[in-house]
Amino acid sequence: MASIRLWITLWIGLCVLPLAGCGVNVRKTEIAEPLTPPAEARAVPIRFGELQAKVRRGDRIGGYVIGFTCLGPFDPITWTTGREMMDRGDVADMFHEELNAAGYDVTGNPGRLFEREEDEERAELVVSAQVTDVKMNVCRKMGWWLIESDVIGEEVEASVKVDWTVYSRLERRMVLRTSTRGYTDGGSATEDGKILAIEQAMAGAIANLAADPDFRAAAFAARDADLSVPALERSGGIGGGAGSAGRLPVDNSVQDARLKPMPTALLVDDAAKLQSVRLPPVAAFTTPIQDHVERVTGAAVLVANGSGHGSGVLVGNDGLVLTNYHVVGNAERVRVVLDDGTALTGVVERRHKVRDVALVRIEGARFPALPIRTTPLTVSEEVYAIGAPIQERLRGTVTRGIVSAFRRDRLTGLETIQADVSIQGGNSGGPLVDAQGNLAGLAVAGYVVPGSTGSAGLNLFIPIADALDRLRLEIAYR
């Protein structure tokens, strides 16, 4: 009887061999040695973007294989979308872990309990993944006596191929496309085990991305390198819509006729520790703004951090720009567009979150800086606002109004100028000038009528003297 079982087992094994081709070829891929980051290079902040699977639902990605030789198909494994196979959050965590260990500057640390999204604002490069191939085989091992033997163990192997796209938020273009593979074997063939196998293979693909020479070249830049930022698109570029960094902070939650501003966030004043920067004086305008309006609008700039846009103003001929903190966020570099459409890379040198001001420097000389008014405005005095309301292509828009009042925030004690001059999302950080064109304040916030997104003519501006003081800037009078 034993000999009969032996012959049957051998016969089944031989019959299974021709069917082995019905399984899938799980490509084995070694994890490459990590590359040493360049010693003198600057790590460009990056973050994980989107995760997509090009594999279609129901596609066969592998099979269950049975036998003491693990040959021949037993049951197909098909791809399903959603949490069952791959989760973006898990992949983002692996991306941060693998690349951070390899020396990259990865924003959005999943271990942070607070301000994780604020940290992601620093990212200049966004890396998205498209899984284009998944293979998996599950082996159900049985004893030599296939007829009567029970399953004595299960193992799973999996491989993935990932197409990576690297997008520059400042240059607004794809800077790299590359592909890597990952492989894993062993482990449990349970449902959780299969998910883990794919995740481990994905981790291998991420590790191989970290070792990719082209990716490293994109993620590490020379410290004095600049970006070749393209000219401003006439289509409007990044709009100043809801949720963008350039949107004026407004409160739409008020359900009655009362108007209520958005409260200012609190932050420790670290600017007090900074050394003062002296601004060369610019001769004040003494004639009406209409006599030299081109010189005034020429000092207004557009500032974009990749997720939205705001405005700013040149206060130094050497390229110093004032804007709002909420325009630049935690970004290290931003895109600055001059009045003539020239786009430059700006480095954020100082910021003050409570006062909502930031200092950006662009390389160059002989920029058209605005003269700074040294005396306070008065109620009913005529003022003008300049900026890029709503759309980038509307940069240089000039609106007129009067000073309505001076307000003091109950939480911070900071004073703001209230004026009826019209501003919208995208005006944030733009200049408020007096009737001669001298810089008197920066746009920061606006009220809206409940149920509307339009300006109510009740807008707030930061007094220029306070903005300079918070950033430790002073005019170098001779």
Side-chain angles (χ1 to χ4, degrees):
M1 189 67 181
S3 61
I4 294 175
R5 287 198 300 268
L6 176 60
W7 280 108
I8 293 174
T9 298
L10 293 175
W11 179 80
I12 292 176
L14 292 173
C15 290
V16 162
L17 286 175
L19 300 176
C22 295
V24 295
N25 179 26
V26 180
R27 180 170 174 175
K28 297 183 178 180
T29 304
E30 299 294 332
I31 296 179
E33 290 294 326
L35 301 174
T36 302
E40 299 301 322
R42 180 184 76 94
V44 180
I46 61 178
R47 69 172 175 85
F48 185 72
E50 297 300 320
L51 172 66
Q52 296 179 349
K54 201 172 181 180
V55 186
R56 295 178 301 178
R57 179 188 290 270
D59 281 357
R60 182 182 176 188
I61 63 172
Y64 292 98
V65 188
I66 190 170
F68 58 85
T69 57
C70 277
L71 298 174
F74 179 74
D75 200 17
I77 300 176
T78 58
W79 176 262
T80 59
T81 57
R83 177 64 182 88
E84 289 75 18
M85 284 295 185
M86 194 173 296
D87 179 75
R88 184 205 172 276
D90 292 338
V91 175
D93 290 351
M94 291 187 291
F95 182 88
H96 187 278
E97 180 180 349
E98 294 288 344
L99 267 67
N100 187 63
Y104 292 86
D105 182 6
V106 187
T107 66
N109 185 348
R112 295 185 62 159
L113 295 178
F114 306 103
E115 297 186 345
R116 178 175 173 178
E117 293 182 356
E118 285 79 356
D119 183 52
E120 288 183 340
E121 292 176 356
R122 297 190 301 112
E124 298 175 20
L125 298 177
V126 181
V127 183
S128 292
Q130 186 177 68
V131 180
T132 57
D133 185 61
V134 179
K135 294 292 186 291
M136 175 187 292
N137 280 335
V138 175
C139 174
R140 291 184 172 178
K141 291 185 176 180
M142 301 185 70
W144 285 89
W145 305 105
L146 297 180
I147 301 295
E148 298 179 355
S149 173
D150 294 328
V151 175
I152 62 175
E154 291 185 328
E155 292 183 357
V156 60
E157 63 173 352
S159 67
V160 297
K161 178 177 180 289
V162 184
D163 291 345
W164 302 95
T165 301
V166 183
Y167 177 80
S168 171
R169 300 177 71 198
L170 299 186
E171 299 186 53
R172 300 200 297 187
R173 66 181 180 91
M174 305 296 179
V175 296
L176 178 66
R177 294 182 186 273
T178 189
S179 299
T180 61
R181 291 181 178 271
Y183 170 83
T184 187
D185 63 353
S188 168
T190 63
E191 289 301 315
D192 288 341
K194 289 187 293 182
I195 295 173
L196 180 61
I198 294 179
E199 290 180 350
Q200 290 176 336
M202 189 71 187
I206 296 172
N208 285 332
L209 175 67
D212 185 288
D214 293 333
F215 179 72
R216 183 186 66 164
F220 288 93
R223 294 190 181 276
D224 58 352
D226 200 359
L227 293 176
S228 56
V229 182
L232 183 66
E233 297 178 0
R234 294 188 178 276
S235 61
I238 303 171
S244 67
R247 180 66 181 258
L248 285 166
V250 296
D251 191 337
N252 291 316
S253 63
V254 184
Q255 300 301 319
D256 55 19
R258 292 174 298 171
L259 300 174
K260 181 180 178 182
M262 176 178 288
T264 306
L266 297 178
L267 185 69
V268 176
D269 184 357
D270 292 328
K273 304 175 184 177
L274 300 175
Q275 293 183 347
S276 296
V277 173
R278 297 172 68 82
L279 303 175
V282 179
F285 295 124
T286 57
T287 60
I289 189 174
Q290 291 79 6
D291 295 344
H292 43 263
V293 66
E294 292 83 6
R295 293 180 60 187
V296 177
T297 58
V301 301
L302 181 145
V303 181
N305 72 351
S307 59
H309 83 270
S311 301
V313 58
L314 284 155
V315 292
N317 299 113
D318 56 350
L320 289 180
V321 175
L322 287 181
T323 187
N324 287 149
Y325 168 86
H326 76 259
V327 171
V328 302
N330 290 323
E332 298 176 4
R333 298 196 295 177
V334 293
R335 183 170 58 93
V336 177
V337 183
L338 304 181
D339 179 63
D340 62 1
T342 302
L344 302 172
T345 300
V347 178
V348 183
E349 294 195 343
R350 297 185 177 186
R351 64 192 97 207
H352 193 289
K353 190 172 183 179
V354 177
R355 182 71 275 191
D356 202 355
V357 290
L359 179 68
V360 178
R361 182 184 294 276
I362 54 178
E363 293 298 325
R366 302 183 64 83
F367 290 107
L370 273 188
I372 296 173
R373 174 168 169 151
T374 57
T375 58
L377 292 169
T378 59
V379 174
S380 79
E381 187 172 350
E382 186 176 76
V383 287
Y384 296 80
I386 309 167
I390 303 177
Q391 296 182 346
E392 289 191 359
R393 64 185 179 87
L394 298 179
R395 71 185 190 283
T397 296
V398 181
T399 53
R400 182 178 66 176
I402 63 168
V403 175
S404 305
F406 295 92
R407 305 296 179 188
R408 189 170 298 277
D409 190 285
R410 290 179 298 176
L411 294 177
T412 65
L414 299 176
E415 185 180 68
T416 54
I417 303 165
Q418 179 188 326
D420 68 351
V421 58
S422 177
I423 58 175
Q424 306 290 336
N427 272 104
S428 292
L432 178 75
V433 300
D434 60 19
Q436 290 73 44
N438 301 300
L439 182 60
L442 301 176
V444 66
Y447 292 87
V448 295
V449 177
S452 171
T453 58
S455 172
L458 302 173
N459 300 306
L460 303 178
F461 301 82
I462 300 170
I464 189 61
D466 196 27
L468 296 178
D469 181 62
R470 299 290 172 168
L471 295 172
R472 292 297 182 262
L473 304 175
E474 58 184 41
I475 303 174
Y477 296 106
R478 291 185 179 91

